[in-house]
């Protein structure tokens, strides 16, 4: 069964450094998402991406964040200058173009630790 | 503002019993509602989707109900097993349906 994959599984970085989190969505999906989950808190929407552009973003997704689909398979989230409060699990998700009424399929996540 | 509430207290039940989890929402009229399972340190896994015109949906030992008047969904696991122990998340489409807003989740522990 096709799965969303994410790398790395765990990323440790120093405050102020740039990080890139990578995702490979399910191959025939065209809607892509990033969510995050701070330890002990709920899953929160960051950004959605369709047709090579951002379709919606939350207030968390400020100028320090960017997303890119550099080729036909990868979907990346970049944080330019990490802060302590960016420490969280980051989940990528994808959705088919039709059917499934918005069912999103999540990857296993990247645990980001900012020191 | 829109709110999604799930029991924040953990639910402990005995193996073989039926677990019932609740999701309440306010200030919203979703076209559908979804339930996900999340294990520690892992991503949410889709379980069931129920549309606003459906009262009940079943999948194996899982049953979901959706009451749009009460603004509530109930999630049932019958004949529960220790392997069902996890956090269960309720999610609603928001922002025109393009994104999901999740509840805080209810942790279920099934004991032998």
């Amino acid at each position: 069964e096709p799965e969303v994959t994410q790398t790395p599984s765990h990323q440790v970085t120093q405050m102020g450094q740039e990080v890139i989190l990578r995702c490979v969505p399910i191959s025939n999906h065209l809607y892509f998402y990033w969510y995050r989950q701070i330890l002990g808190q709920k899953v929160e929407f960051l950004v959605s991406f369709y047709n090579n552009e951002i379709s919606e973003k939350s207030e968390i997704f400020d100028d320090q964040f960017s997303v890119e689909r550099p080729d036909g398979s990868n979907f990346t989230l970049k944080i330019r200058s990490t802060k302590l409060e960016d420490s969280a699990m980051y989940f990528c998700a994808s959705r088919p173009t039709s059917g499934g009424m918005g069912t999103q399929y999540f990857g296993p996540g990247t645990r980001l630790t900012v020191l | 503002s829109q709110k999604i509430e799930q029991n924040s207290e953990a639910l402990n039940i005995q193996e073989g019993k039926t677990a019932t989890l609740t999701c309440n929402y306010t200030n919203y009229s979703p076209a559908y509602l979804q339930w996900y399972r999340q294990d520690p340190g892992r991503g949410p896994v889709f379980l069931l989707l129920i549309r606003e015109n459906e009262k009940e949906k079943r999948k194996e030992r899982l049953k979901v109900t959706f009451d749009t008047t009460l603004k509530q969904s109930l999630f049932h696991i019958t004949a529960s097993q220790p392997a069902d122990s996890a956090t269960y998340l309720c999610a609603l489409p928001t922002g025109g349906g393009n994104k999901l807003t999740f509840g805080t989740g209810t942790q279920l522990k099934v004991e032998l």
Side-chain angles (χ1 to χ4, degrees):
Chain A
E1 187 174 328
E3 289 182 335
V4 175
T5 59
Q6 290 185 243
T7 54
S9 56
H10 192 186
Q11 174 91 48
V12 181
T13 190
Q14 295 290 327
M15 190 169 56
Q17 295 296 304
E18 174 183 287
V19 294
I20 297 176
L21 310 183
R22 301 179 193 279
C23 168
V24 179
I26 295 172
S27 64
N28 63 345
H29 289 188
L30 292 180
Y31 291 85
F32 312 117
Y33 305 84
W34 284 100
Y35 291 80
R36 80 171 186 189
Q37 187 174 32
I38 294 171
L39 187 64
Q41 297 186 24
K42 62 181 179 179
V43 177
E44 299 176 287
F45 168 79
L46 290 178
V47 66
S48 58
F49 191 86
Y50 171 70
N51 201 25
N52 283 319
E53 61 183 22
I54 290 173
S55 48
E56 190 170 353
K57 59 184 180 179
S58 72
E59 57 190 27
I60 302 168
F61 194 89
D62 61 21
D63 292 344
Q64 293 301 312
F65 291 86
S66 62
V67 289
E68 197 175 41
R69 186 142 162 89
D71 53 42
S73 58
N74 290 285
F75 179 51
T76 63
L77 174 69
K78 182 194 288 187
I79 309 175
R80 286 189 187 81
S81 178
T82 50
K83 303 188 268 269
L84 294 175
E85 54 264 37
D86 293 328
S87 295
M89 282 288 284
Y90 287 81
F91 298 110
C92 173
S94 68
R95 174 166 80 90
T97 53
S98 61
M101 285 201 78
T103 298
Q104 295 180 22
Y105 297 87
F106 285 75
T110 293
R111 180 175 299 282
L112 176 65
T113 302
V114 182
L115 302 176
Chain B
S1 62
Q2 296 166 346
K3 271 178 99 172
I4 303 171
E5 292 180 338
Q6 296 183 251
N7 286 350
S8 56
E9 286 184 25
L11 178 63
N12 294 340
I13 63 166
Q14 265 192 321
E15 184 180 20
K17 301 290 187 187
T18 296
T20 299
L21 286 66
T22 305
C23 174
N24 294 296
Y25 59 92
T26 56
N27 298 324
Y28 192 60
S29 297
Y32 59 89
L33 181 147
Q34 300 185 23
W35 284 89
Y36 286 79
R37 168 182 173 143
Q38 187 176 29
D39 291 285
R42 306 291 296 173
V45 174
F46 171 73
L47 296 174
L48 279 169
L49 179 151
I50 185 165
R51 293 174 170 78
E52 61 179 337
N53 61 350
E54 296 175 315
K55 296 291 185 192
E56 182 179 297
K57 197 96 172 261
R58 291 177 186 259
K59 179 182 173 184
E60 298 171 354
R61 295 184 294 110
L62 309 181
K63 184 178 87 170
V64 172
T65 63
F66 193 13
D67 188 326
T68 55
T69 302
L70 288 179
K71 294 188 182 293
Q72 181 182 78
S73 174
L74 299 179
F75 177 81
H76 306 272
I77 305 175
T78 58
S80 58
Q81 304 165 359
D84 296 326
S85 299
T87 296
Y88 292 86
L89 310 176
C90 166
L92 298 179
T94 53
N98 187 37
K99 65 182 186 186
L100 290 176
T101 297
F102 285 85
T104 50
T106 298
Q107 185 178 6
L108 172 67
K109 186 173 180 183
V110 181
E111 298 165 334
L112 292 169

